Amino acid sequence: MWIELGHFSAILALVLAVIQTGTAFVGGTLDRPVWVRVSRQAALVGSGFLTLAMLGLQISFLTHDFSVQYVAGHASLDLPFFYLATALWGGHEGSLLLWGWLLSVFGTIAVFSYWRSQSASIPWVLVVFGCLVISFLCLVLFLSSPFDRLIPPPMDGRDLNPLLQDPGMVFHPPFLYMGYVGFAVPYAFAISALIRGRLDDQWIRATRRWSLFAWAMLTVGIVFGANWAYYELGWGGYWAWDPVENASFMPWLTATAFLHSVMVQERSGQFRIWNLMLIITTFALSLLGTFLVRSGVLSSVHAFANDPGRGVYILGFMSVLLLVSFGLLTLRGDALKSENRLDGVVSREVAFLFNNLFFMVAMLTVLLGTLYPLAVETFSNAKVTVGAPYYNKVFLPIMFGILLLMGIGAVIPWRRASAQRMIKLFRLPLIIGFLALPLSWYWGVDHPYGIGALFLILFVITSHGGEIIRSVRARVRKDRLSPLTAFVRLISRNRRRYGGFVVHAGLLVMVAGFIGSGLFQEEQNLVMKPGETVRIGAWTLTLDKIHTVARENWEATEAVMHAQGRGEILTLRPQKRVYNEHSMPTTEASIHTTIREDLYVILGDAVGDGWHIRVFRNPLVVWVWIGALIMGLGVLIAFFEKRIVVARKTVREAS
Amino acid sequence: MSTTRKRLTLWGSLLLVGTALGLLVFSSFNDALVYFYTPTEVIAQSTELTDSRIRIGGMVQEGSLRREEGTLRIHFEVTDGESRLPVFYEGMTPDLFREGQGVVVEGAWKPGTVFTADTILAKHSEDYIPVEMSEEGIAKSRESILNSLQ
């Protein structure tokens, strides 16, 4: 049967991972290329077997094999095909298998693509990946197996949780995991560099694309999650500082710090230990993210009530990983002494240093809020939660600090910036920034944070735009090109730099969305009878009728409403759904999106002869999603940088 | 500027900004902690809890749920089997909020008045239970983590 084939393949993959680790270790320590070659083949065949394991489970889903416990728990006969095909990662057993599979496949791809160019690192990369795959497969096979049988099989499965029957949830886990697992590649190369004592920036340059890829996937994964929460959870927002959201946000913060600080090392050889620490922390937080979500220790939507044996295993795994990684770092500490040069207190290096400080504080803020309740529960009898106000209070100032540094750091010269240069660079951005005052008056923005954000957005746009204009002008003068050609050449020859500019622009768009939806949300909470109206913002909503609708696996009470405003008439249909296999109803918000605002309506319970209706006006929410797309585009541009950045030698000679 | 001066300026400013951020974090942190109690615990520590923001967890007492006619204002009792605590709430209730189901209510505690909740959390689905809802789950996970540390 398919599931046994899958199970058996997974066991073989575990055996192969052990062989991979052993042979690579021998090959690496004794310098025997043949052993390394054997290890590489083991990695390749291992990924093949894990792919078979995934297929075995996938086919069991597609054939409705309810004698497989995992399938019975996460699918049913009338689950639509699309969700049937993606239910594999609807629970923790399957998600962990997906993680392990990605890990194995990424490891193999990395080993094959760097086989020649990084041949000295390869044995240790194989060892690191081997160990990680072993750890994951042990967890999958012995503590949370998706391959277990359920005898006798039920007639029908328990169905996929209705909340997960949504496109957002289908794409959220794989993207997030590609992000998490993607960081394993730079992590493995960093560990390899530590073991070999090759402590220059070779590991950073080699894995630059993997870091970018992982960061982009993580960004997209997080935004998919937020998007899903917005459409599916029906509370009017997209980010609740839920521990599980935090778990994915922490590695994002350190990874962002990493992407910036590696530039300093590439440029001047500083921040060596720091960059190693950042990548180790990022990968460790990726694991923590997976485990927090999948171990059931957290109280949240994602937390599955389950067996705590996993928790212990995971805690052990994390401890070993951190001990080994930081142990190596300490051992090599002496050799890692940075080329310690400080040319000027006002320089891009220093701006990046502060950028890193802000990102680290942000990460620690989230870490504290996420783990403190767990610590309290573990060591005392009390139970505690940390509310969203904590994060909002801390994060707005941090975000403002980061935006200010973004405007400065992207254009300020390396090494040293004279006062004259600073004035020349930032006079105009500051002046334009202060246009925030009349503009906010004009738009009716009276919240200080709103005005502050507007100031920073204008400041950053002008500083980045000014830089582009100056560079284009220089090219026009020097090479006698038309401005357009000069612009295209400028971008295409510095894809990393200007890709970064585009990512920054995407973030600005997102920030506008955060501020608009966070500070200026309006809400109406009321009981309506058919024919009654409610006003919110420029809109007048009328409840037309309440009726029942049904689809293949659910039935819903639906309110039909129409909204009038801004010269438009639209129909909104919020629902309360009950899925056949589940007793619990789910709320389906009805959302009308415009560039200016979202109209978001939720249907509640019957109250007397009326119905409970909740209406939100969420300004600028769509900017959050658009901003994420722009960020993705920026990464894509940066990804195709051909030239591997400035040669450090020339810089050193110049100094 | 000499290198030492530069270094001092740099580390000084880093320290200053770091400290400011740290203060921001910790000052916001203490205000935002919301402790969780059972009705029995709340009644026992009533005066100490005055004005603090708390979460109370238990079951919605069968037969206690009452709605003010035609409004969003509801009254019910939360019970842990030992004591009952009357609660008032105005607004939309979660999909799974009903009598006999687990519930967590959050609000500021004022002794001698009906507890006014501004947030209600209900058991989310048959598949996942917010951990604080199942005493058993808590006891288990606490034990397991403690065991692993010994």
Side-chain angles (χ1 to χ4, degrees):
Chain A
M1 291 291 288
W2 290 110
I3 197 70
E4 271 76 31
L5 177 83
H7 196 173
F8 190 59
S9 306
I11 294 170
L12 280 178
L14 175 61
V15 174
L16 281 158
V18 173
I19 296 175
Q20 170 190 341
T21 314
T23 49
F25 187 79
V26 173
T29 27
L30 304 179
D31 195 18
R32 299 271 162 78
V34 181
W35 288 72
V36 182
R37 196 171 282 269
V38 170
S39 174
R40 181 185 73 167
Q41 296 326 100
L44 178 65
V45 179
S47 326
F49 276 117
L50 265 186
T51 311
L52 272 184
M54 290 280 285
L55 272 177
L57 188 57
Q58 186 61 277
I59 292 172
S60 306
F61 267 106
L62 296 181
T63 54
H64 295 113
D65 186 354
F66 298 128
S67 69
V68 178
Q69 195 170 15
Y70 185 67
V71 176
H74 298 87
S76 68
L77 287 173
D78 52 8
L79 185 66
F81 179 79
F82 181 62
Y83 297 116
L84 191 65
T86 53
L88 193 149
W89 52 82
H92 57 98
E93 289 93 344
S95 332
L96 288 178
L97 180 65
L98 174 69
W99 224 101
W101 175 69
L102 283 171
L103 190 66
S104 169
V105 170
F106 283 10
T108 306
I109 295 176
V111 164
F112 272 82
S113 54
Y114 294 118
W115 184 251
R116 271 172 214 290
S117 61
Q118 304 290 326
S119 56
S121 296
I122 292 291
W124 302 110
V125 171
L126 279 162
V127 170
V128 173
F129 268 99
C131 291
L132 291 172
V133 171
I134 293 172
S135 315
F136 253 90
L137 285 184
C138 284
L139 183 59
V140 168
L141 288 169
F142 305 123
L143 286 166
S144 97
S145 174
F147 305 112
D148 286 348
R149 285 285 192 180
L150 182 63
I151 309 287
M155 291 304 290
D156 196 356
R158 283 179 58 206
D159 202 16
L160 185 63
N161 185 309
L163 291 174
L164 306 186
Q165 294 187 33
D166 177 89
M169 206 52 199
V170 165
F171 297 115
H172 167 61
F175 275 92
L176 209 58
Y177 286 8
M178 279 196 274
Y180 287 163
V181 182
F183 289 121
V185 178
Y187 168 75
F189 275 85
I191 293 295
S192 167
L194 273 174
I195 293 175
R196 291 171 48 232
R198 273 294 307 262
L199 299 162
D200 53 11
D201 59 1
Q202 194 196 19
W203 68 274
I204 292 173
R205 283 164 197 259
T207 56
R208 198 183 71 83
R209 284 193 177 171
W210 279 98
S211 311
L212 268 181
F213 164 79
W215 185 86
M217 290 299 123
L218 192 57
T219 309
V220 172
I222 293 171
V223 174
F224 265 127
N227 191 274
W228 166 78
Y230 185 63
Y231 283 91
E232 199 65 20
L233 291 186
W235 57 277
Y238 47 84
W239 192 265
W241 296 107
D242 175 288
V244 168
E245 294 166 338
N246 294 346
S248 63
F249 191 38
M250 286 187 281
W252 187 88
L253 290 167
T254 52
T256 312
F258 175 75
L259 289 182
H260 289 91
S261 77
V262 292
M263 285 187 248
V264 179
Q265 188 177 344
E266 287 172 12
R267 182 85 196 181
S268 63
Q270 289 168 297
F271 291 10
R272 286 182 176 181
I273 300 183
W274 182 243
N275 286 327
L276 285 162
M277 268 180 63
L278 277 178
I279 193 64
I280 293 170
T281 311
T282 302
F283 187 60
L285 286 171
S286 298
L287 285 174
L288 184 73
T290 314
F291 293 153
L292 277 182
V293 179
R294 295 306 184 189
S295 65
V297 277
L298 287 181
S299 148
S300 78
V301 203
H302 303 59
F304 299 75
N306 61 23
D307 127 58
R310 266 172 228 144
V312 180
Y313 179 88
I314 283 160
L315 212 62
F317 181 12
M318 291 286 301
S319 325
V320 171
L321 181 110
L322 287 173
L323 274 176
V324 171
S325 308
F326 283 110
L328 272 170
L329 196 61
T330 324
L331 278 178
R332 296 285 183 199
D334 296 338
L336 275 168
K337 277 275 177 191
S338 285
E339 296 158 33
N340 223 335
R341 266 179 326 108
L342 183 65
D343 293 317
V345 179
V346 182
S347 67
R348 192 177 294 179
E349 285 90 332
V350 174
F352 280 15
L353 194 61
F354 275 93
N355 151 306
N356 273 237
L357 174 70
F358 274 82
F359 274 107
M360 288 314 276
V361 172
M363 186 274 283
L364 292 172
T365 302
V366 183
L367 192 71
L368 179 69
T370 311
L371 294 189
Y372 184 79
L374 287 181
V376 168
E377 275 179 29
T378 310
F379 300 111
S380 72
N381 274 321
K383 271 157 275 170
V384 67
T385 51
V386 180
Y390 159 67
Y391 297 101
N392 292 335
K393 228 182 196 169
V394 178
F395 257 81
L396 271 166
I398 289 183
M399 189 174 82
F400 282 11
I402 286 175
L403 285 178
L404 183 68
L405 285 166
M406 188 165 113
I408 298 170
V411 298
I412 190 177
W414 291 101
R415 298 185 55 217
R416 176 184 309 132
S418 64
Q420 265 172 318
R421 184 107 181 98
M422 290 299 281
I423 292 171
K424 202 178 155 217
L425 280 173
F426 297 110
R427 190 179 44 201
L428 190 63
L430 279 174
I431 293 171
I432 302 276
F434 278 109
L435 286 181
L437 289 171
L439 273 176
S440 0
W441 174 77
Y442 177 72
W443 281 329
V445 177
D446 50 5
H447 198 290
Y449 275 141
I451 302 170
L454 194 58
F455 169 84
L456 286 166
I457 289 173
L458 292 170
F459 175 75
V460 177
I461 291 177
T462 321
S463 87
H464 282 57
E467 176 73 5
I468 292 177
I469 291 171
R470 274 191 302 274
S471 311
V472 168
R473 267 204 199 139
R475 271 174 188 264
V476 168
R477 242 177 292 137
K478 205 175 107 219
D479 305 334
R480 306 200 175 284
L481 296 166
S482 76
L484 188 67
T485 332
F487 176 73
V488 172
R489 275 206 198 163
L490 178 73
I491 304 290
S492 68
R493 290 192 184 162
N494 298 282
R495 289 180 203 171
R496 179 185 194 179
R497 177 166 174 69
Y498 293 105
F501 275 35
V502 176
V503 173
H504 284 176
L507 184 73
L508 292 183
V509 174
M510 263 185 149
V511 167
F514 296 153
I515 294 290
S517 56
L519 295 179
F520 301 99
Q521 186 182 53
E522 280 179 63
E523 183 187 345
Q524 290 278 0
N525 220 337
L526 74 166
V527 179
M528 289 177 89
K529 293 177 186 133
E532 287 185 346
T533 61
V534 56
R535 289 185 58 88
I536 189 160
W539 300 89
T540 306
L541 280 82
T542 312
L543 177 63
D544 298 323
K545 62 172 178 179
I546 300 268
H547 65 156
T548 310
V549 289
R551 285 283 185 289
E552 48 186 332
N553 63 339
W554 54 260
E555 200 172 276
T557 309
E558 182 180 84
V560 181
M561 306 181 75
H562 73 266
Q564 232 174 332
R566 303 203 193 280
E568 269 186 284
I569 296 181
L570 11 128
T571 312
L572 292 157
R573 298 169 179 274
Q575 297 175 338
K576 214 163 190 48
R577 273 188 205 169
V578 178
Y579 283 75
N580 300 348
E581 307 295 327
H582 303 261
S583 55
M584 71 163 206
T586 66
T587 301
E588 294 292 316
S590 176
I591 304 166
H592 177 74
T593 301
T594 63
I595 194 79
R596 191 202 292 254
E597 67 203 357
D598 277 17
L599 212 50
Y600 187 112
V601 188
I602 312 167
L603 174 64
D605 296 321
V607 177
D609 50 356
W611 290 81
H612 184 174
I613 305 269
R614 204 170 170 193
V615 188
F616 294 94
R617 189 181 76 90
N618 292 332
L620 306 185
V621 168
V622 75
W623 291 47
V624 176
W625 322 132
I626 295 175
L629 285 178
I630 299 176
M631 285 170 104
L633 177 73
V635 174
L636 213 61
I637 296 173
F639 193 81
F640 291 107
E641 166 87 56
K642 276 176 278 180
R643 212 161 37 90
I644 298 296
V645 265
V646 276
R648 250 179 59 206
K649 278 209 182 103
T650 54
V651 179
R652 230 185 275 160
E653 278 157 17
S655 67
Chain B
M1 256 197 278
S2 72
T3 309
T4 332
R5 276 278 299 281
K6 278 187 205 160
R7 222 162 249 163
L8 233 77
T9 321
L10 179 63
W11 288 112
S13 51
L14 271 175
L15 204 69
L16 200 73
V17 176
T19 316
L21 289 174
L23 282 176
L24 173 71
V25 172
F26 286 106
S27 66
S28 319
F29 190 66
N30 275 329
D31 301 343
L33 290 180
V34 182
Y35 280 87
F36 178 95
Y37 300 91
T38 61
T40 313
E41 288 169 342
V42 173
I43 291 164
Q45 305 170 41
S46 180
T47 38
E48 296 134 64
L49 293 177
T50 304
D51 289 334
S52 52
R53 227 183 135 67
I54 58 171
R55 282 188 170 190
I56 304 170
M59 301 281 241
V60 183
Q61 174 67 38
E62 294 278 0
S64 73
L65 181 60
R66 184 171 57 81
R67 183 184 287 281
E68 288 179 26
E69 194 62 41
T71 68
L72 301 173
R73 303 156 68 86
I74 54 169
H75 301 261
F76 58 95
E77 287 175 355
V78 177
T79 171
D80 53 8
E82 217 176 312
S83 328
R84 293 183 194 178
L85 199 78
V87 176
F88 165 78
Y89 174 75
E90 180 169 13
M92 189 169 273
T93 51
D95 292 328
L96 276 177
F97 176 80
R98 60 182 84 132
E99 289 183 349
Q101 286 279 352
V103 70
V104 174
V105 293
E106 184 177 325
W109 176 251
K110 305 242 187 285
T113 60
V114 172
F115 183 71
T116 305
D118 49 34
T119 310
I120 293 189
L121 308 165
K123 183 183 147 185
H124 220 297
S125 83
E126 52 270 64
D127 302 335
Y128 3 70
I129 308 166
V131 175
E132 54 194 19
M133 212 73 74
S134 86
E135 279 300 321
E136 211 186 40
I138 296 226
K140 261 196 198 160
S141 66
R142 184 185 298 146
E143 252 169 53
S144 67
I145 296 174
L146 277 175
N147 283 343
S148 68
L149 288 171
Q150 278 159 5

